[in-house]
Amino acid sequence: MSSGLVAALGPVTLVRGDIGDAQLVRRTLEEHRVTSVVHFAGKICVAESVRRPDYYIEHNVRRASVLLDEALAAGVRSFVFSSSAAVYGVPSGSPISETARTEPISPYGETKLAFERLLAEKEGLLWAALRYFNAAGAHPDGSLSERHEPETHLLPLAIDAALGRRPALQIYGDDYPTPDGTCIRDYVHVIDLAAAHLSALDALSSGTQLGAVNLGSGRGHSVRQVLGAVEAALNRPVPTLVVARREGDPPTLVADIERASALLQWRCDRSDLATIVRDAVRSRR
Ligand code: UDP
């Protein structure tokens, strides 16, 4: 585990190691008689992937393929993978369905797509590539906040800027072809995402092949709309500074969630922007 929080794991057996360590993975799968794998481990920053593409290939594809091969050798037949909307690149339409062209514009997106292709090649494997849109929010009990080192995500940075813990929030470009010029994203609550993983495991265990499934709310919000929601939740302004576009950022990413609704009974009850922001704020107070 190179990032992430042990406290977020709950009452589970934790084996620390590297998914690229074949011996450790083999031993762990055998000792715990693992029948399904949910693979969350990966590098997640678009900007970092632009600077260090080889590092992303190494972790998100090569080491992940060690995990996959060992899982198959150990008899695992269901595999759930954390994929991303970044596989689509700059979509030609909105909302984006799973059949849309996949042309990533960042090494991060490339590595997610490459691993999806490895999954699709494996005969007899039941798999799901859950293409997360913008995971956001926090557990409603407020006990655990999103935490990355360094933090790069819009919502925690905006909340911290409003609370005076950070300098002004940098808006990465306000000249996009969107109504207010800032990027539009589909924010989805982490609690809804968690539920989708359990549904995916159930579906795979009962023999349903899933393949790629979008997980979003089906609604898009601009950076400025997110900042407005943070201001409303905190009742104070978010100081901002408009800077250059961030490389690898498409203007609009909004999910078509019909497949998730049909296959996973996806309801995403908590993924309206106000609830996401309220839960995120509560966890960061
Ligand atoms: N964003 C921004 N300023 C920041 C962080 C993010 O303007 O300090 C924008 C970013 O360009 C994107 C949206 O907010 O359009 C969400 O970015 P985030 O990094 O949270 O998630 P990503 O879309 O990269 O998965």
Side-chain angles (χ1 to χ4, degrees), residues 74-129:
V76 166
R77 286 293 164 263
S78 327
F79 200 102
V80 177
F81 169 53
S82 301
S83 188
S84 166
V87 298
Y88 296 114
V90 182
S92 50
S94 184
I96 312 164
S97 85
E98 291 83 351
T99 54
R101 217 182 42 229
T102 44
E103 278 184 23
I105 57 166
S106 65
Y108 169 69
E110 294 278 4
T111 61
K112 289 290 174 187
L113 187 58
F115 193 74
E116 285 195 10
R117 290 186 172 141
L118 288 180
L119 288 170
E121 279 169 9
K122 305 293 180 196
E123 214 146 302
L125 179 68
L126 292 164
W127 60 279

Side-chain angles (χ1 to χ4, degrees), residues 44-46 84 108 133-135 146 151-158 169-173 176 182-185 187 223 243 245-246 249-251 253:
I44 62 158
C45 285
V46 170
S84 166
Y108 169 69
F133 281 63
N134 283 63
E146 175 172 3
E151 188 54 77
T152 62
H153 291 105
L154 177 62
L155 199 44
L157 289 176
L169 186 277
Q170 298 193 334
I171 296 177
Y172 297 142
Y176 283 95
T182 63
C183 285
I184 293 178
R185 294 287 179 274
Y187 296 87
V223 171
V243 298
R245 292 181 177 194
R246 183 173 68 175
D249 265 345
L253 285 173

Side-chain angles (χ1 to χ4, degrees), residues 146-209:
E146 175 172 3
R147 222 181 305 157
H148 302 103
E149 206 41 66
E151 188 54 77
T152 62
H153 291 105
L154 177 62
L155 199 44
L157 289 176
I159 294 168
D160 286 358
L163 293 174
R165 296 179 186 152
R166 282 181 191 270
L169 186 277
Q170 298 193 334
I171 296 177
Y172 297 142
D174 67 353
D175 57 352
Y176 283 95
T178 61
D180 67 18
T182 63
C183 285
I184 293 178
R185 294 287 179 274
D186 179 334
Y187 296 87
V188 54
H189 199 296
V190 288
I191 293 290
D192 287 335
L193 283 181
H197 290 73
L198 297 178
S199 303
L201 278 175
D202 283 346
L204 296 174
S205 317
S206 62
T208 306
Q209 181 61 288

